[in-house]
Amino acid sequence: MLHNFDMFHPTFFVRCETELNDAEVRTEVHKNDMRVYLTANQSKPCFVEFQWKTAIEPSLLALGDAWERSYGELGFTTVGNSDRVMPWYFMLTDKDNCFCFGVKTQPSAFISFRVTENGITALADCRNGGMGTALNGRELLLCTFTYKAYAHTDPFSALCDFCRALCPAPLLPKVPIYGGNDWYNAYGHNSYETVCAAAQIHAECARGIENAPFMVIDDGWEQGSTAGPWLPNGKFGDMRAICNEIKGRGLRPGIWIRPLNTNDPAVDDTLKILRNGKRDYLDPTHPEVQAMIRGDIARIRAWGYELLKHDYTTYDLFGDWGKDLSDAVPKTEGWHFYDRTKTNAEIVLDLYRLIREAAAGMLIIGCNTFSHLCAGLVEINRTGDDTSGHDWSRTVKMGVNTLAFRLAQNGAFYLVDADCVGMPKGFIPWEKNRQWLELLASSGTALFLSPDEVTDTQKREIARAYQTAQTLHTIKPVSWIDSITPAVWEIDGKKITFDWA
């Protein structure tokens, strides 16, 4: 499949912020792994580029990953027709044999790959903001490259195995995760009353199941409007009281926050990132910001919430969504964080670790989080952009695509969350949504619904889906090589065709 491939002897180049370049790269080889270390004294490294010269058949199919969530774009393409940037890892296949190459989770740089007929290139973005990083003599474990070849193996099975090899210590929930999230039935127009009504629906549909469902309060409860201060607005009042209402109905309470955005006038602008001449979002490398985040999460824990969904960290840190990033993270140059001594990837990891520590025994859902960096630090990760309560085509584009092409990460990196079944009354026909519900329930991933009202038929089918979600099923996307929204799936050995039209 690859001719004369030698992972352990790439050519590499280091680019620094100025012409001064005292950076050094050191490698260590361990079986199929190669650890890469970077150090510099005075210079500030920006990128390290690795090249492997090897002939690659142009007819081979290539599949890559996404920086954070995917946006309906994942799918196979031939090597000869693509110069696609593939973050974190990629797979090549002729449908019978497979070759997988990538970096292990929690690297200290943003790593992306390009594959052409002439070989493989990996770019390690080790900047701080849009400038070089002041390592000051520190030796940094940049990343660990690894690969596996599979003969006569189904591509989906190969990718599942490779993802397990990339993440040595995933953090996984002990029970299936399912229940309600009120975003797609309320879109921020939620209240104490709407949450209690939704909780009652889920309680009735989960009756008889020992594993309690969740009721996640999404954006709309806070004073700051998609921003802090993370205190209840007038529609909610006492957040401890609504938490107890949810528990009283037999559900587990969860809540949403955007930790790096605040409208609190008491927060000094110097605590925010300076980018493009503006200070918008909190700088998590500043000790005062770290204390604020710890305090916000401690307050939420004290209210009694058992699940924390944190959102927007990719956008707030770097000013772009994952879909708009190429091989450089971030796109914007000429700015840096308060602490210049760590790479962007290290800063992201520190933030996720801070949230993990502050959340203590709470479950965490990451949303708009960098997949390879949150693996091992969140139990659940949103792997695709928003589905919809209003637009069925968006649910298919975002939900079905991410479930098919990132399902291999489920149980290997975290529990995948391909997003909700949006069910506000009067928008998406139930015959469409029930298919998405059926697929999610059988997938072994997180299952969240957003209903505002349900008919008796819907209640019975939701109850059946909740029961289905309690046990493990075998599942794979059969038609994923030919379609970015595969309709044919194999569930427990039986092929099922869904109508996504």
Side-chain angles (χ1 to χ4, degrees):
M1 181 171 287
L2 272 70
H3 306 290
N4 304 317
F5 176 72
D6 180 2
M7 184 183 77
F8 304 128
H9 297 92
T11 304
F12 53 81
F13 313 90
V14 182
R15 284 182 268 163
C16 293
E17 186 177 300
T18 63
E19 290 185 7
L20 174 67
N21 188 342
D22 61 4
E24 295 181 1
V25 173
R26 180 173 68 85
T27 63
E28 288 181 358
V29 174
H30 302 267
K31 293 185 179 179
N32 282 8
D33 295 346
M34 183 178 72
R35 297 177 185 173
V36 178
Y37 296 85
L38 174 68
T39 188
N41 290 308
Q42 293 180 294
S43 62
K44 297 180 176 65
C46 294
F47 300 95
V48 184
E49 183 176 300
F50 302 84
Q51 294 181 354
W52 291 267
K53 297 293 186 181
T54 180
I56 300 177
E57 299 163 22
S59 61
L60 288 177
L61 296 169
L63 174 67
D65 195 28
W67 284 122
E68 43 112 0
R69 298 170 300 181
S70 52
Y71 291 80
E73 82 285 10
L74 293 182
F76 288 92
T77 184
T78 58
V79 169
N81 292 323
S82 175
D83 191 25
R84 178 186 291 181
V85 172
M86 297 182 287
W88 309 126
Y89 66 79
F90 66 89
M91 176 172 69
L92 301 178
T93 182
D94 60 7
K95 302 185 183 180
D96 182 37
N97 303 289
C98 304
F99 173 83
C100 298
F101 191 25
V103 291
K104 293 198 171 181
T105 53
Q106 298 189 20
S108 297
F110 285 94
I111 314 291
S112 60
F113 297 88
R114 292 177 187 265
V115 179
T116 69
E117 300 170 43
N118 299 314
I120 300 166
T121 301
L123 186 68
D125 186 337
C126 51
R127 292 176 298 164
N128 176 285
M131 302 175 74
T133 300
L135 292 175
N136 298 331
R138 175 170 66 104
E139 185 176 61
L140 174 67
L141 173 55
L142 201 65
C143 64
T144 300
F145 288 107
T146 189
Y147 77 95
K148 292 186 78 172
Y150 303 83
H152 310 302
T153 304
D154 165 63
F156 184 73
S157 300
L159 189 58
C160 289
D161 180 78
F162 188 63
C163 284
R164 288 191 292 270
L166 290 180
C167 185
L171 186 64
L172 300 171
K174 294 181 173 59
V175 295
I177 302 299
Y178 73 109
N181 175 295
D182 71 349
W183 178 247
Y184 297 106
N185 60 283
Y187 282 104
H189 300 291
N190 50 357
S191 66
Y192 192 115
E193 292 75 21
T194 64
V195 170
C196 289
Q200 186 60 34
I201 292 172
H202 298 292
E204 292 174 6
C205 292
R207 188 172 290 128
I209 300 176
E210 184 177 351
N211 173 32
F214 278 91
M215 182 65 230
V216 181
I217 303 171
D218 213 286
D219 183 20
W221 67 271
E222 71 281 1
Q223 288 185 3
S225 184
T226 321
W230 300 105
L231 297 166
N233 57 40
K235 299 182 299 175
F236 282 85
D238 188 342
M239 296 306 292
R240 184 180 284 106
I242 193 170
C243 181
N244 291 334
E245 286 272 8
I246 292 170
K247 290 180 178 179
R249 286 168 167 78
L251 282 74
R252 303 176 66 185
I255 199 164
W256 173 97
I257 64 167
R258 182 179 180 176
L260 297 181
N261 194 27
T262 184
N263 293 337
D264 189 344
V267 175
D268 195 287
D269 270 1
T270 59
L271 301 182
K272 298 178 180 178
I273 300 164
L274 177 61
R275 184 170 50 228
N276 292 333
K278 297 189 298 183
R279 293 186 183 270
D280 291 325
Y281 303 107
L282 295 171
D283 185 334
T285 71
H286 199 293
E288 290 186 41
V289 172
Q290 295 166 9
M292 287 172 55
I293 295 171
R294 288 192 187 95
D296 289 334
I297 296 174
R299 185 184 318 113
I300 289 169
R301 283 182 57 221
W303 289 337
Y305 289 87
E306 299 179 25
L307 180 148
L308 181 74
K309 178 181 177 183
H310 70 80
D311 201 353
Y312 280 91
T313 50
T314 293
Y315 184 85
D316 293 350
L317 281 168
F318 301 116
D320 282 296
W321 307 108
K323 65 183 175 65
D324 299 318
L325 297 170
S326 182
D327 52 4
V329 181
K331 291 193 307 186
T332 310
E333 299 181 346
W335 64 278
H336 60 79
F337 287 97
Y338 172 81
D339 181 354
R340 286 208 64 180
T341 67
K342 292 188 176 182
T343 68
N344 290 326
E346 288 184 289
I347 289 166
V348 173
L349 283 167
D350 285 347
L351 173 61
Y352 294 167
R353 288 173 181 141
L354 184 156
I355 295 172
R356 173 77 271 161
E357 178 185 341
M362 300 174 76
L363 291 174
I364 295 178
I365 299 179
C367 187
N368 191 224
T369 41
F370 288 104
S371 171
H372 237 58
L373 300 179
C374 73
L377 294 171
V378 302
E379 288 87 354
I380 310 156
N381 187 42
R382 267 279 303 280
T383 55
D385 193 20
D386 291 10
T387 56
S388 179
H390 297 165
D391 182 357
W392 171 243
S393 64
R394 184 180 178 91
T395 295
V396 173
K397 177 182 178 180
M398 302 300 181
V400 176
N401 181 265
T402 193
L403 187 65
F405 293 96
R406 305 188 85 176
L407 183 58
Q409 299 168 357
N410 191 50
F413 293 178
Y414 34 60
L415 187 73
V416 161
D417 176 9
D419 209 13
C420 302
V421 181
M423 296 175 56
K425 186 178 179 181
F427 289 93
I428 297 175
W430 179 241
E431 59 266 24
K432 296 298 183 184
N433 256 339
R434 68 180 296 279
Q435 296 183 91
W436 180 227
L437 172 65
E438 179 185 353
L439 182 59
L440 282 178
S442 302
S443 68
T445 65
L447 172 61
F448 288 107
L449 280 72
S450 298
D452 53 9
E453 296 180 26
V454 291
T455 65
D456 289 342
T457 298
Q458 290 171 333
K459 189 178 292 186
R460 285 192 298 271
E461 294 186 350
I462 292 170
R464 189 180 307 120
Y466 281 175
Q467 289 284 356
T468 298
Q470 303 310 308
T471 55
L472 189 63
H473 303 268
T474 61
I475 181 171
K476 69 176 182 180
V478 175
S479 57
W480 69 323
I481 287 179
D482 304 311
S483 172
I484 63 172
T485 53
V488 183
W489 293 70
E490 185 180 291
I491 301 173
D492 294 334
K494 180 182 178 181
K495 287 186 180 179
I496 299 175
T497 300
F498 295 92
D499 178 14
W500 303 134

